[in-house]
Amino acid sequence: MRGEIAPLSDNDPALGLLQILDDNAIADQEQLPSISVQALLRIYRGMLLIRVMDERLLALQRQGRIGFYGEARGQEAAIIGAAAALEPQDFIVPALREAGAALFRGLSLRQYIAQIFGNANDVAKGRQLPCHPGTRAARYLTMSSCIATQLPHAVGMAWAAKLRGDQTVVLGCLGDGASSEEDFHVAANFAGVYKVPCVFFCQNNQWAISTPSQSQTVSPTIAVKAYAYGFPGIRVDGNDVFAVYRTVGEAAERARRGDGPTLIEALTYRVSAHSSSDDPTRYRDESVTETWRKKDPIDRLRRYLAAQGHLTEEGHQALHEELDAEVRQAVAEEESAPPPALHSLIEDVFAEVPAHLEEQFSEIANLPRQKLGGVHQ
Ligand SMILES: Cc1ncc(C[n+]2csc(CCOP(=O)(O)OP(=O)(O)O)c2C)c(N)n1
Ligand SMILES: [Mg+2]
């Protein structure tokens, strides 16, 4: 049965840009989602934690203390706004920059930083690239480094939830670059046909490493691609936490009701480098980046909270210092933790470690210590 494709008018939600909190931090009262002050301050804390962590961990990478780091600077409203709009039973299947959402949902800073060091406290036992946390308890999957391969997984999980009738929604995250990958189209098609409870959440930060979004697609927006698969698309200001929260919340409710997927495009900007291995000054005009730095989502929410009398400048400073101290403490603890046990090299693939692997292991274990580099037994 064919889905309906509505004729597109100029104010179609997939072509427009929903904004509730404008650049001057003035909120549109009619569209403002209802969020308690306590919940809003928790959202603010989650956003600020990403910023504080990014600053500290990038410095650590530059000092050679961690191998790699990817910032999410400028995308904090999109990440936390989306996470805050979900129910605890919902899953997040991340793309590249959503680790702050895992922390927001309960992953401890120490667990996250242990993953970055790949030490003995890391549940992944150092087998993942830094910044790839996963937490079963907070229903946040480990990030897939292969762009877009997570989307068929997200749709499969949502299909399973539908078959079980368990009211779980899956947030399938992607970047603008991922929208060109076949896995995105496979996932979107399947999600539309089977009406699965998946919300596709695309952070269009306008760059895929050095490829600008205008070279990525000639579609007028990414959101409009949803119509090809028979479900709604909506484009929002990704630096506006209220627009993201409201849209993701409504899409999740729609999915929970059994009405199927939605594609949300959150328009934002990657104001930092792609990762600690990248230098954007070699391929883009950084004066454009400066204009986006002025649209800072944390600053926008802070000004709104201040105008409402919910957060003073001193309150903001105190929170900043508290988060900075928490990050430094977690770094100090995890940096001094030992690496994973050497024997873990050959564990977890077979139910019982086969003899040939034990044999190879004993050769490694008997190497002089200096040949093992940083690896301890
Ligand atoms: C299948 C695949 N192709 C290429 C890469 C290399 N790669 C890593 S991140 C990235 C860009 C992703 O851009 P986008 O989806 O916009 O996410 P963003 O980095 O902007 O958050 C690329 C091409 C990869 N990891 N996987
Ligand atoms: Mg991108």
Side-chain angles (χ1 to χ4, degrees):
M1 173 122 168
R2 285 175 199 280
E4 299 273 314
I5 299 181
L8 300 189
S9 66
D10 284 349
N11 55 7
D12 188 280
L15 298 178
L17 188 75
L18 176 72
Q19 194 181 55
I20 298 177
L21 190 65
D22 71 15
D23 287 7
N24 298 317
I26 309 291
D28 175 344
Q29 294 301 325
E30 276 181 22
Q31 307 227 57
L32 202 60
S34 96
I35 313 178
S36 70
V37 175
Q38 195 190 15
L40 202 47
L41 289 173
R42 196 172 161 260
I43 287 173
Y44 185 71
R45 182 190 175 94
M47 290 168 62
L48 194 59
L49 175 59
I50 298 177
R51 181 68 53 89
V52 168
M53 208 171 56
D54 279 358
E55 278 167 6
R56 191 72 214 116
L57 292 174
L58 188 67
L60 240 58
Q61 196 281 335
R62 296 299 187 233
Q63 292 163 5
R65 291 158 69 188
I66 56 173
F68 172 88
Y69 192 71
E71 288 183 90
R73 187 184 291 265
Q75 299 181 218
E76 297 89 348
I79 296 162
I80 302 298
L86 300 175
E87 297 293 334
Q89 77 268 23
D90 298 340
F91 275 99
I92 297 181
V93 181
L96 282 85
R97 306 196 187 270
E98 291 83 9
L103 295 167
F104 185 77
R105 300 191 110 202
L107 177 71
S108 74
L109 257 179
R110 281 198 59 178
Q111 279 175 294
Y112 181 41
I113 290 172
Q115 197 283 316
I116 291 176
F117 280 107
N119 67 21
N121 300 332
D122 172 19
V123 288
K125 304 180 186 176
R127 291 170 186 160
Q128 273 278 19
L129 194 74
C131 306
H132 287 53
T135 152
R136 203 184 281 264
R139 297 199 152 204
Y140 179 98
L141 263 66
T142 303
M143 164 182 142
S144 154
S145 269
C146 297
I147 299 304
T149 54
Q150 73 278 8
L151 297 173
H153 303 162
V155 168
M157 288 162 66
W159 192 30
K162 179 172 176 158
L163 294 176
R164 286 186 182 148
D166 68 5
Q167 296 292 301
T168 300
V169 170
V170 181
L171 189 79
C173 303
L174 65 147
D176 44 303
S179 72
S180 304
E181 288 282 356
E182 54 271 49
D183 277 330
F184 165 69
H185 299 280
V186 167
N189 187 59
F190 193 100
V193 169
Y194 287 91
K195 273 197 163 184
V196 305
C198 181
V199 177
F200 294 98
F201 183 64
C202 176
Q203 289 193 67
N204 178 359
N205 64 7
Q206 305 187 45
W207 291 90
I209 312 186
S210 55
T211 303
S213 52
Q214 61 269 28
S215 309
Q216 195 67 249
T217 179
V218 290
S219 290
T221 66
I222 291 172
V224 80
K225 292 175 192 253
Y227 294 145
Y229 300 107
F231 54 86
I234 174 160
R235 189 159 166 269
V236 304
D237 177 351
N239 287 15
D240 169 358
V241 74
F242 293 129
V244 173
Y245 178 90
R246 182 179 167 149
T247 312
V248 172
E250 286 174 358
E253 279 322 301
R254 181 186 135 82
R256 228 180 290 284
R257 280 200 305 271
D259 291 342
T262 303
L263 170 60
I264 297 167
E265 174 185 354
L267 185 71
T268 179
Y269 201 83
R270 197 200 74 209
V271 295
S272 283
H274 171 73
S275 72
S276 53
S277 314
D278 174 45
D279 174 8
T281 61
R282 299 185 54 175
Y283 55 79
R284 73 178 183 186
D285 176 357
E286 291 294 8
S287 67
V288 177
T289 311
E290 274 316 303
T291 64
W292 279 90
R293 278 186 188 268
K294 294 198 178 90
K295 295 174 188 276
D296 188 85
I298 297 180
D299 188 49
R300 200 187 298 184
L301 181 57
R302 185 180 55 72
R303 283 185 288 146
Y304 173 78
L305 290 170
Q308 300 298 309
H310 302 321
L311 184 70
T312 59
E313 183 51 36
E314 297 74 50
H316 161 78
Q317 284 305 336
L319 180 62
H320 192 285
E321 278 164 30
E322 180 191 325
L323 295 174
D324 190 55
E326 272 179 31
V327 172
R328 284 173 190 271
Q329 175 76 17
V331 167
E333 278 159 349
E334 295 307 331
E335 193 168 24
S336 57
L342 191 57
H343 197 264
S344 69
L345 264 178
I346 57 167
E347 293 166 0
D348 301 331
V349 174
F350 300 99
E352 279 169 33
V353 178
H356 73 280
L357 288 184
E358 283 294 5
E359 199 183 300
Q360 289 172 26
F361 174 76
S362 60
E363 279 179 34
I364 296 170
N366 290 328
L367 284 176
R369 206 166 182 77
Q370 63 271 27
K371 286 212 172 156
L372 288 173
V375 183
H376 297 187
Q377 289 183 51

